[in-house]
């Protein structure tokens, strides 16, 4: 079996021929030997870098910019198709007329990258950022920020009786409208945005873009057009890795649909035992897989794995698989040195050796934001061979590669493992093939117990799923709508929800429409239930208007606004002790059940007494909430103790180790705690002592490595 020669000239690549799927066996186990089915030889000749041509926008890009001159626009296109160019040109037109633009995205990391990108285009003095933990140049003509901040500004504008001070809104990742947790923020933003402000939405391909556009046209009284691009900028070729190391086409030549699997792939599916490569330390042989990919010029690659621990453990299995030249090692070393230079936590990161010696990295939510930026930067600059990641990379991070490798056709939804749907698989495969750097991208499925190859073939041929409404009633929404609306007006707003519109639009006759419109009645009943509780607890008066307490409580746009408000009303917060204040707020934001069994030394007695006292004082209020059917989260000491220790100056590594929490989770706890503290810090006129202590607490926890400032000036990560 011959391997490609390293010195083969372009156009004369030599590929290993493969007739029998036999790898090398050692100690009864099959080890991989690179091979490829003959059908792939013609495909592999298409690998390469496209010719460098002057940029010419695609038809859908110019069409979208033209549409924005006269109406709203929903752009749906595959990942990497060039949606940002549309935003830049639309913002440029507004900017040149002296107007203001607001660019909203779901991720702080994505918002930070857009700040850098837009500052280079429009000049740093013309771009500001608002993400909660970053507030810079808020009066700049171009603002980038998170969608939650934009929604909150719309609340404030409605309360003040003014229109949002912008002339264009761009909603990036608009398909987040269907996100189970945060979709309500996107829907509220679309409902509240004044019709005078043009709305540009950039989305991954969705199955019901027309319905979304028709709904927006109905509620905004302004036309909304869909501009769709279905073709990937870089063609995708799906393959399967035989346990022997042979690459196989997923489908037969010319085949369509899931029933036309390549005959040898069909043989794998039909076998009684699920074939899979031999495993080392319980993991696939990542080094062997890298050698196969290297043999056919299929690197760099993103490996999607099921868990963070698998991503980290994979790195040590890759050393020696792909030899890096001394020159490339030197380039990686210098970039890592630059990116980590200002942070002692990142300089001595335990995974740095894998970047510098093997050109591989791990990327997941368990890592610090600053470290994830290091990995993202190296990958986007073409310095890494492979990245091992969880599905977070598929959602909004600019992280392209030539090949995407995956081992599971299911995913964990927080409760159980369920099959992937077409949208999720398309998001993952959207990272395969780099525009301007690849002529073709590859998706490689590795057979195993949790890989359904027939499902994968079907999903790759399927249209993306439909976006559904996620609107729901919560206390923050009710308090903020009552700032500027009567209950009757709120009921009319709820009739404008996407959920109501979807059901009514499906009704064939007016009689059925009357029945189907009941969805808004469900929302309205839930609103009334929340309203009644707010009246019982003194935040709303009998006249359906906010009381004095309701007015300041409406500014607590946090996870549990009423519990925070009750703490403030009863004077339960530890004013004057910023570290303890941070610890208490960590209890209020923590969503995870946690094991509170800890050594006594890890929980300061004073902090424990404070948390227990608050729980006791809030018990009556909590029982009242539960009796009315509202959830009340349990207080846990572990997040309070960790946050208190960090605010008190204990070393970061010590806290992560002794309390047993991944650095990324610990950083996220600090950032969410700071977000909640900010809302109390803004109540300086009502609770000056608590507000001052909250502001001091933010400073104690929002420090490196929770936020980093690299030598390149990227702060607030």
């Amino acid at each position: 079996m011959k391997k490609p020669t390293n010195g083969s000239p372009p156009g004369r690549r030599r590929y290993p021929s493969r007739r029998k799927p036999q790898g090398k066996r050692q100690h009864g186990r099959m080890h991989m030997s690179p091979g490829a089915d003959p059908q792939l030889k013609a495909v592999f000749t298409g690998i390469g870098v496209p010719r460098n041509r002057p940029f010419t926008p695609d038809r859908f890009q110019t069409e979208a910019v033209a549409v924005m001159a006269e109406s709203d626009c929903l752009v749906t296109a595959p990942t990497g198709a060039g949606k940002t160019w549309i935003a830049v040109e639309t913002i440029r037109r507004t900017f040149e007329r002296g107007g203001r633009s607001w660019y909203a995205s779901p991720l702080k990391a994505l918002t930070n990258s857009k700040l850098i990108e837009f500052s280079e285009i429009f000049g740093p003095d013309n771009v500001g950022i608002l993400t909660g933990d970053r507030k810079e140049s808020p009066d700049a003509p171009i603002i980038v920020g998170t969608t939650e901040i934009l929604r909150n500004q719309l609340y404030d504008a409605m309360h003040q009786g003014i229109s949002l001070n912008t002339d264009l809104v761009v909603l990036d990742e608009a398909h987040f409208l269907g996100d189970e947790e945060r979709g309500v923020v996107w829907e509220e933003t679309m409902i509240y945005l004044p019709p005078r402000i043009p709305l540009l939405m950039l989305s991954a391909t969705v199955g019901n873009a027309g319905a979304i556009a028709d709904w927006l046209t109905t509620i905004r009284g302004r036309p909304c057009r869909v501009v769709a691009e279905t073709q990937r900028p870089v063609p995708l070729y799906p393959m399967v890795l035989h346990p022997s190391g042979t690459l196989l086409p997923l489908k037969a030549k010319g085949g369509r649909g899931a029933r036309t699997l390549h005959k040898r792939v069909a043989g794998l599916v039909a076998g009684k035992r699920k074939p899979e490569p031999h495993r080392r330390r319980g993991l696939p042989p990542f080094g062997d897989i890298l050698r196969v990919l290297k043999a056919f010029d299929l690197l760099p690659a993103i490996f999607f794995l099921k868990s963070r621990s698998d991503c980290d453990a994979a790195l040590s299995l890759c050393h020696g698989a792909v030899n890096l030249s001394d020159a490339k090692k030197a380039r990686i070393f210098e970039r890592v040195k630059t990116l980590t230079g200002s942070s002692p936590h990142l300089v001595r990161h335990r995974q740095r050796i894998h970047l510098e010696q093997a050109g591989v990295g791990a990327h997941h939510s368990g890592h610090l934001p600053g470290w994830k930026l290091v990995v993202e930067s190296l990958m986007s600059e073409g310095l890494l061979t492979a990245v091992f990641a969880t599905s977070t990379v598929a959602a909004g991070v600019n992280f392209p590669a030539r090949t995407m490798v995956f081992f599971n056709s299911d995913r964990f939804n927080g409760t159980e493992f369920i099959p992937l749907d077409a949208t999720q698989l398309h998001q993952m495969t959207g990272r395969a093939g780099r525009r301007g750097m690849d002529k073709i991208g590859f998706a490689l499925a590795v057979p195993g117990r949790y890989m359904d190859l027939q499902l994968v073939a079907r999903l790759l041929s399927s249209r993306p799923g439909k976006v559904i409404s996620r609107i729901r009633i919560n206390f923050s929404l009710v308090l903020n709508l009552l700032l500027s609306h009567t209950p009757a007006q709120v009921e009319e707003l709820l009739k404008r929800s996407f959920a109501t519109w979807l059901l009514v639009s499906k009704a064939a006759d007016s009689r059925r429409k009357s029945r189907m419109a009941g969805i808004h009645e469900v929302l309205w009943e839930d609103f009334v239930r929340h309203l009644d509780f707010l009246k019982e607890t003194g935040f709303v008066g009998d006249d359906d208007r906010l009381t004095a307490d309701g007015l300041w409580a409406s500014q607590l746009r946090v996870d549990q606004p009423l519990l925070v408000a009750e703490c403030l009303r009863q004077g339960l917060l530890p004013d004057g002790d910023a570290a303890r204040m941070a610890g208490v707020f960590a209890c209020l934001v923590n969503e995870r059940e946690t094991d509170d069994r800890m050594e006594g030394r890890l929980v300061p007695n004073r902090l424990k007494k404070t948390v227990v006292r608050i729980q006791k004082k809030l018990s009556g209020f909590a029982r009242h909430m539960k009796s009315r059917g509202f959830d009340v989260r349990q207080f846990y000491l572990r997040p309070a103790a960790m946050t208190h220790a960090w605010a008190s100056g204990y070393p970061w590594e010590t806290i992560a180790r002794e309390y047993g929490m991944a650095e990324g989770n610990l950083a996220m706890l600090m950032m969410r705690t700071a977000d909640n503290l900010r809302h109390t810090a803004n109540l300086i006129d009502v609770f000056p002592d608590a507000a001052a202590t909250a502001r001091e607490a933010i400073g104690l926890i929002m420090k490196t490595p929770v936020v980093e400032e690299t030598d390149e000036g990227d702060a607030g990560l």
Side-chain angles (χ1 to χ4, degrees), residues 316-567:
S316 61
L317 300 180
C318 298
H319 286 257
V322 177
N323 292 323
L324 303 182
S325 67
D326 291 340
K328 191 164 189 177
K329 286 184 179 180
R331 287 176 59 200
I332 294 174
F333 179 84
E334 288 302 321
R335 283 300 287 143
V336 172
K337 181 179 178 181
T338 298
L339 291 165
T340 64
S342 63
S343 171
H345 301 278
L346 300 184
V347 165
R348 57 177 179 264
H349 197 283
R350 63 188 180 280
Q351 292 186 3
R352 179 172 179 170
I353 188 173
H354 301 300
L355 293 179
E356 296 176 345
Q357 296 300 317
V360 296
H363 187 288
H364 54 70
S365 59
H367 284 304
L368 289 167
W371 184 253
K372 289 194 288 186
L373 178 65
V374 171
V375 175
E376 291 166 19
S377 299
L378 294 177
M379 189 66 170
S380 64
E381 293 166 18
L383 294 176
L384 297 187
T385 297
V387 166
F388 297 86
T390 55
S391 59
T392 52
V393 167
V397 179
N398 183 21
F399 220 40
R402 179 165 290 172
T403 303
M404 186 275 290
V405 185
F406 62 115
F407 300 80
N408 295 45
S409 57
D410 59 3
R411 70 179 183 92
F412 189 66
N413 66 358
T415 304
E416 60 183 343
F417 282 93
I418 59 175
L420 291 171
D421 60 34
T423 299
Q424 292 156 353
L425 185 58
H426 288 180
Q427 273 198 320
M428 293 167 65
T429 58
R431 301 295 164 192
R434 302 159 293 180
R435 185 170 188 170
M437 299 176 68
D438 289 310
K439 292 181 179 179
I440 185 171
F442 297 87
L444 182 63
V446 181
R449 287 176 294 171
Y450 307 110
M451 175 62 72
D452 184 340
L453 293 172
Q454 287 180 317
L455 173 65
V456 170
R458 185 167 66 250
L459 293 179
L460 288 173
S461 304
S462 302
R463 294 186 62 191
K466 295 181 178 180
V467 167
I468 62 174
S469 173
R470 297 294 186 180
I471 195 165
R472 63 183 184 273
I473 306 300
N474 55 52
F475 285 113
S476 184
L477 181 149
V478 174
L479 287 166
N480 277 276
L481 286 181
L482 289 177
L483 279 170
S484 52
H485 295 75
T486 65
Q489 291 170 327
V490 172
E491 185 175 14
E492 289 302 311
L493 273 180
L494 296 178
K495 289 180 181 179
R496 301 170 67 189
S497 74
F498 187 39
T500 299
W501 187 91
L502 281 173
L503 291 175
V504 172
S505 65
K506 290 179 181 177
D509 54 66
S510 58
R511 196 170 174 188
R512 189 176 172 211
K513 283 186 178 183
S514 177
R515 295 198 307 270
M516 298 295 282
I519 185 67
H520 107 265
E521 295 175 4
V522 173
L523 291 171
W524 171 244
E525 289 172 1
D526 202 20
F527 175 87
V528 171
R529 185 169 70 95
H530 283 72
L531 177 62
D532 288 344
F533 185 80
L534 290 171
K535 288 182 178 180
E536 292 173 10
T537 51
F539 294 101
V540 176
D542 292 336
D543 58 356
D544 292 326
R545 302 183 66 176
L546 297 182
T547 63
D549 284 350
L551 285 171
W552 58 257
S554 69
Q555 304 306 305
L556 297 172
R557 294 156 185 164
V558 296
D559 299 333
Q560 302 185 82
L562 295 195
L563 289 186
V564 177
E566 194 62 17
C567 285

